[in-house]
Amino acid sequence: GEGAVAGRWLDAETDARSFARHARRLTDWAIALARATRGADCATPYACRMRPWVDLWLARCGEALDPALRDEALAVLRGAGPLPTVCEHRDLRPWNLLVTPDRRLVALDWDGARFDGLPLLDLLPALGYLRFALDGALRSRAFGRSYAALPDGPRADALAAYADALALDADAMRVLRVLVWVRPCVVDAGEHAAAHGGRVPDWSRTLVPVWAAEARSALGGRGA
């Protein structure tokens, strides 16, 4: 079915000059999906949505986490108030995003989607992975350095536009930004360990530095 869809992969359409434009397209796409699928608020998001992935993250990545940052992040996540539910694609990477001949952005590979997921969890990884594809981090695994080079303007614009569109206040955005790279960290660490005999040889070449950078930014630099 996917082979019948005409277009070019998003990373093939993107270069340094067009990154901001495609970041805006991704943001608009994520906002449209969230608005179209928004459901009832989840009253206890940590217990109902976050805890299974947080437990896996602690088990799989705990040795690589800064203890002070980890503890502050956990306090924020466990204290999360009600959050809206939206459809999460859960694999919004450049290789699942096509730009069609009529210039529409189309997402493929919805087999991992969850219709009662949480907001924002697609958008920042989509922007991050687009940057990783652009600067070679998918091959080098220098994810932390690549994410640090993510342009501040497009990223800040994406966060502001998304928060405004879904009426997410500062507390909700803080929670979601602390959470956003937890699941990708779990998946990446598992894949990286599997490729190296069951252990991660170098945590700097995983997504843990990306989680730490986003969490520190969300927490205002605390926990460092």
Side-chain angles (χ1 to χ4, degrees):
E2 292 180 359
V5 182
R8 297 184 72 209
W9 300 115
L10 181 61
D11 54 323
E13 289 273 323
T14 308
D15 57 23
R17 290 179 299 176
S18 63
F19 183 88
R21 174 163 51 87
H22 288 301
R24 182 68 214 194
R25 295 183 73 181
L26 274 170
T27 303
D28 291 344
W29 188 96
I31 287 171
L33 176 65
R35 281 176 164 167
T37 61
R38 184 165 184 164
D41 284 4
C42 177
T44 56
Y46 181 76
C48 296
R49 298 289 186 276
M50 302 178 193
R51 185 169 184 171
W53 284 104
V54 171
D55 287 348
L56 278 173
W57 172 68
L58 292 172
R60 195 169 287 178
C61 306
E63 67 183 82
L65 303 175
D66 174 85
L69 183 61
R70 175 203 63 205
D71 290 349
E72 186 169 5
L74 287 172
V76 167
L77 295 176
R78 289 167 177 163
L83 291 171
T85 57
V86 301
C87 178
E88 280 182 56
H89 182 281
R90 290 196 164 190
D91 197 13
L92 206 62
R93 311 295 191 255
W95 50 86
N96 286 328
L97 288 159
L98 279 175
V99 179
T100 65
D102 61 355
R103 311 309 295 167
R104 290 181 298 121
L105 188 63
V106 173
L108 307 177
D109 196 6
W110 290 82
D111 59 298
R114 178 165 184 162
F115 286 98
D116 58 349
L118 294 175
L120 192 68
L121 303 193
D122 283 329
L123 179 56
L124 282 185
L127 295 178
Y129 270 90
L130 185 58
R131 179 72 195 188
F132 302 158
L134 186 62
D135 65 11
L138 292 177
R139 296 185 300 276
S140 70
R141 296 189 64 86
F143 299 124
R145 184 169 66 244
S146 178
Y147 198 69
L150 190 65
D152 287 338
R155 181 174 166 282
D157 290 347
L159 288 170
Y162 195 94
D164 183 64
L166 272 75
L168 297 168
D169 63 21
D171 288 340
M173 288 296 289
R174 183 179 304 110
V175 168
L176 293 167
R177 289 176 61 197
V178 168
L179 178 68
V180 69
W181 285 100
V182 165
R183 183 175 178 272
C185 274
V186 170
V187 174
D188 176 68
E191 292 174 349
H192 196 46
H196 292 85
R199 61 177 297 275
V200 174
D202 183 358
W203 284 101
S204 70
R205 299 182 69 222
T206 71
L207 290 173
V208 168
V210 176
W211 171 81
E214 189 62 41
R216 284 194 175 100
S217 177
L219 297 169
R222 303 189 300 276

